[in-house]
Amino acid sequence: MNSSDDPKKVTGECKMKAIPQFKVRKTYEEVSDYIKDQIMNGVYKPGDRLPSLREFSELFGVGQSTMREAISALKTMGLVTIRQGEGTFVTRLNPDEVLSGFEPIQPVTEQDIISLLEVRKIIETGIVQLAAEETF
């Protein structure tokens, strides 16, 4: 076996820059972000009825389960309301006000973490005591 047959031998030098972190996004996230942008840009106004799941599915070329997840995400954000038998409507609230609750949380300090751990210890100790009393 000569050196060219050796799979362990590397010929040439591989220079790589830092490998970027790739964020894998699910289709429903892409769809909900698109609809959210449409709402924020006034394409769909407060009170407007959105197209049906089937219409959206055909428009975006995705399955109805994907659309259900996308609409559910928008509902969780407070941007839409779902009325059984009537459809999905853009919330009458100002979308900027609704989304302001989702702004990034301020960075926590080391003292914040220590305080949280102390509270957790107090709560967990109490739970263990209650469980022990109920067991006997």
Side-chain angles (χ1 to χ4, degrees):
M1 180 168 168
N2 63 34
S3 63
S4 64
D5 295 333
D6 187 356
K8 295 178 185 173
K9 179 164 172 106
V10 178
T11 57
E13 210 173 290
C14 181
K15 294 182 182 179
M16 291 182 63
K17 295 182 180 180
I19 298 173
Q21 293 290 330
F22 295 106
K23 183 176 180 187
V24 177
R25 297 200 59 199
K26 297 186 178 183
T27 305
Y28 84 89
E29 293 172 323
E30 297 286 340
V31 171
S32 67
D33 281 351
Y34 178 80
I35 297 171
K36 179 182 82 173
D37 290 343
Q38 296 290 297
I39 292 170
M40 299 302 293
N41 292 325
V43 174
Y44 297 111
K45 295 174 179 34
D48 283 356
R49 182 176 183 270
L50 295 179
S52 70
L53 289 178
R54 195 186 72 196
E55 292 169 328
F56 263 149
S57 294
E58 291 172 2
L59 178 68
F60 296 129
V62 298
Q64 287 189 26
S65 61
T66 298
M67 279 312 309
R68 260 189 290 282
E69 288 183 75
I71 295 298
S72 179
L74 294 170
K75 182 182 175 195
T76 300
M77 287 183 235
L79 291 174
V80 299
T81 55
I82 301 169
R83 295 187 213 143
Q84 197 66 31
E86 293 182 42
T88 303
F89 296 83
V90 177
T91 305
R92 293 201 179 271
L93 300 173
N94 180 346
D96 288 324
E97 291 173 11
V98 172
L99 291 176
S100 68
F102 290 92
E103 292 192 15
I105 298 171
Q106 297 295 323
V108 292
T109 65
E110 185 176 342
Q111 184 56 47
D112 291 336
I113 293 171
I114 291 170
S115 296
L116 284 172
L117 290 173
E118 288 173 356
V119 169
R120 180 179 168 189
K121 183 177 179 182
I122 291 167
I123 292 171
E124 288 176 351
T125 302
I127 291 171
V128 169
Q129 287 176 340
L130 284 173
E133 289 171 10
E134 289 181 15
T135 304
F136 297 106

